[in-house]
Amino acid sequence: MFGNVPGYEGTLAGGGGFLPPPMPMEPVAPPQPGPALADWSIPALSEDVAREAFKSFVSSHCCYSSGPVNDGVITSMEPCNTYRYRLETFTESRSTEWAHKPHEGEPADFYTQTAPRPWEIQATTTPSLFTDHTEEIRVPYTSSIKECHSCHSKGTMLCDECHGDGFKPCWVCNGSGMKTDESCSRCNATGKDRCTMCDARGTKKCETCNGKGQLLTYIKVKVEWTNHVEDHVVAQNCGLNIDDLRSVSGKELFKNNQYLLYPLLGFPNPAISEASERLVREHQSKYAQTSRILQQRQTVELIPITKVNYKWKGDSHVYFVYGKENKVSADNYPATCCCVIL
């Protein structure tokens, strides 16, 4: 069904793998170091804010009593802030596949000129940096006209509902023509009903060629812009689950982006420097094989975490307030009840 186009010999119907980008015509400038880092701090959480966050958390749970909020006494508050490093690598990748559509009078341009290579084709859109986007482009000079493989150029197919008969067994009398010793009034005793799917013709318009009988086959290039994001959160020992931090934001301490990033070395917390060096190396090695790296961005956030110790009815308890959103985690809340939903 499909022809053989120079430069596209490995193209398959249904798509193949991603095509490696061509080598740049000019030497790529080496990554440049980012700006110097400053000293940062974050204000300590006040008791009033901690109480208000706790109150909001409890009120959002129908099975939590407000006793610990109203009568609990805060005994201490411990900051255990942590850092989150995020690396984003924005890439463009291209893959090719044979495709077809109903022929609607378009001229076939197969072999009238040499088809451009996949990475020579100009995309019609330019997405914003670090935003996922997909575009499919018909490759010039690869289209030809073929007969429809589904209907063999007829433009029609047998109706699946009535199997080409145009009628179906009557649903009232199950095709017998009789209903409790009487002629079936639904089908006039014929035992058949007109097929509504094909209007009793026995055939339907071919969906593959839309009734045209012919297809325009061509190669299409699928261009995918993808933002690959990876985070590293520095472990803290105060007892809060790191997964809880995925849903909150922190104070942005540092951000820079360029074509290829230089690892963030010399950060006050060595775990951030190690994560930056590892992730930058992994991203540049992994994504440059099958795609073109357009831009990289790295961000460091300081995520506020406060461990709140309090007493209620003589027992000690703990909850955490974290993120700029002042979210609360209280896994062992001491005053729960059974909820019954009717």
Side-chain angles (χ1 to χ4, degrees), residues 61 108 121 314:
H61 292 72
I121 298 170

Side-chain angles (χ1 to χ4, degrees), residues 54-73:
F54 195 32
K55 180 179 179 181
S56 177
F57 167 76
V58 170
S59 66
S60 68
H61 292 72
C62 65
C63 298
Y64 283 14
S65 165
S66 60
V69 176
N70 298 329
D71 305 324
V73 177

Side-chain angles (χ1 to χ4, degrees), residues 104-286:
E104 297 172 316
E106 305 97 327
D109 59 7
F110 188 64
Y111 270 132
T112 56
Q113 291 189 40
T114 302
R117 305 294 195 208
W119 284 95
E120 296 172 349
I121 298 170
Q122 188 72 34
T124 58
T125 58
T126 304
S128 302
L129 288 175
F130 307 107
T131 303
D132 290 354
H133 185 67
T134 301
E135 181 180 342
E136 293 184 348
I137 308 168
R138 188 192 303 179
V139 179
Y141 314 118
T142 63
S143 61
S144 56
I145 300 168
K146 308 283 187 183
E147 74 168 29
C148 178
H149 55 276
S150 296
C151 66
H152 302 291
S153 297
K154 295 177 183 176
T156 58
M157 299 280 289
L158 283 180
C159 176
D160 296 330
E161 193 74 16
C162 64
H163 306 291
D165 188 50
F167 293 87
K168 299 185 297 181
C170 174
W171 62 271
V172 174
C173 64
N174 293 321
S176 68
M178 302 293 293
K179 182 183 177 185
T180 46
D181 300 330
E182 294 180 358
S183 297
C184 178
S185 58
R186 165 74 186 179
C187 62
N188 293 325
T190 63
K192 294 182 178 182
D193 251 347
R194 283 171 55 88
C195 178
T196 56
M197 293 295 292
C198 65
D199 199 22
R201 290 190 301 268
T203 58
K204 298 190 302 182
K205 182 167 64 175
C206 175
E207 295 180 357
T208 303
C209 66
N210 197 29
K212 305 294 184 182
Q214 292 183 315
L215 298 172
L216 186 75
T217 65
Y218 56 92
I219 294 176
K220 70 177 179 182
V221 169
K222 186 177 183 180
V223 186
E224 294 184 71
W225 291 271
T226 308
N227 191 32
H228 306 275
V229 183
E230 203 161 348
D231 290 347
H232 176 81
V233 178
V234 177
Q236 35 76 33
N237 299 317
C238 61
L240 180 65
N241 191 331
I242 282 184
D243 288 338
D244 290 338
L245 302 178
R246 298 186 188 278
S247 61
V248 298
S249 58
K251 179 182 178 182
E252 188 177 285
L253 305 178
F254 174 83
K255 177 190 281 187
N256 79 317
N257 62 281
Q258 55 191 44
Y259 164 59
L260 289 176
L261 284 172
Y262 193 81
L264 192 57
L265 303 178
F267 193 82
N269 188 307
I272 289 293
S273 298
E274 292 169 8
S276 176
E277 188 170 17
R278 173 178 58 84
L279 291 176
V280 167
R281 181 178 64 250
E282 289 177 359
H283 275 219
Q284 292 179 0
S285 172
K286 177 166 56 175

Side-chain angles (χ1 to χ4, degrees), residues 313-333:
K313 291 188 174 181
D315 294 325
S316 296
H317 305 280
V318 173
Y319 66 89
F320 296 92
V321 183
Y322 58 97
K324 290 173 65 177
E325 299 82 357
N326 287 334
K327 282 199 171 185
V328 169
S329 174
D331 291 340
N332 298 309
Y333 189 72

